[in-house]
Amino acid sequence: MSPRTGRAIVTALAALLGSAPAMADWYVAAGASSESTAALTVEIDRMIGLERFHPRLDLRLATGLLLLSSREKDGNAAWLLSPALRYTFAGERGLFLEGGIGAALFLDTRVESRELSTAFQFEDRLALGMPWASGELSLALTHYSNGGIRRPNDGFETLTLGYRFSL
């Protein structure tokens, strides 16, 4: 990662942390991309209850950064907007399933050998999780693609293990 990219990431993260809402939680996830490089996600999020629609349904609104390492050159980073619907199977603190379609804005349009064509990418996320200690543990599969806005559209995936905890 170049010093310029590193400074941009640190500046964005500082702005994100400095503006964290009081009722927000941290979400930190680590894993690998489909290109076999390391992936790290750091987000702040907020849960909104949707009890009036269904007693086990919530909306998770998150924003943060995705950091990707690289074997070939500097890594890549993206700013994420990640809404997700959550269904809790066994009541308020049980096993849950999340799914959502969000957006990502990448610094570079290449991820290893993949050509993304556009900095804007859709983020399709599916996660399975459960309560763990004072937070939540989840396993997430996320797909990034520009949805055919421009060719080539070489999307990629990340598989991450994450932990969500209160600020």
Side-chain angles (χ1 to χ4, degrees):
M1 185 177 304
S2 74
R4 183 176 162 201
T5 302
R7 281 191 301 274
I9 290 169
V10 168
T11 301
L13 189 55
L16 180 67
L17 298 177
S19 63
M23 300 289 291
D25 293 325
W26 280 100
Y27 177 74
V28 178
S33 74
S34 54
E35 298 295 291
S36 299
T37 60
L40 175 68
T41 302
V42 179
E43 293 179 328
I44 56 172
D45 69 16
R46 184 174 187 158
M47 294 294 285
I48 298 170
L50 299 177
E51 295 87 11
R52 70 181 224 210
F53 298 107
H54 194 280
R56 295 185 182 173
L57 196 60
D58 295 296
L59 176 63
R60 180 176 169 264
L61 299 175
T63 187
L65 297 174
L66 169 66
L67 306 174
L68 299 168
S69 69
S70 176
R71 294 182 307 271
E72 300 173 2
K73 58 181 181 105
D74 290 344
N76 203 345
W79 173 51
L80 308 174
L81 290 173
S82 308
L85 285 176
R86 174 186 285 200
Y87 181 83
T88 303
F89 291 100
E92 188 176 315
R93 296 285 298 164
L95 188 68
F96 62 85
L97 181 66
E98 284 184 353
I101 299 174
L105 189 60
F106 282 84
L107 292 176
D108 190 358
T109 59
R110 290 192 65 80
V111 173
E112 294 298 296
S113 64
R114 307 278 178 133
E115 178 60 47
L116 305 178
S117 295
T118 60
F120 173 81
Q121 299 285 301
F122 291 103
E123 178 194 62
D124 304 321
R125 183 175 183 273
L126 186 60
L128 181 64
M130 62 184 235
W132 182 279
S134 61
E136 298 171 341
L137 191 63
S138 64
L139 182 65
L141 178 63
T142 308
H143 172 73
Y144 296 93
S145 167
N146 70 23
I149 294 171
R150 189 169 170 199
R151 300 261 182 240
N153 181 22
D154 298 338
F156 70 98
E157 292 75 35
T158 62
L159 180 64
T160 57
L161 182 62
Y163 190 69
R164 182 176 186 261
F165 55 96
S166 296
L167 289 175

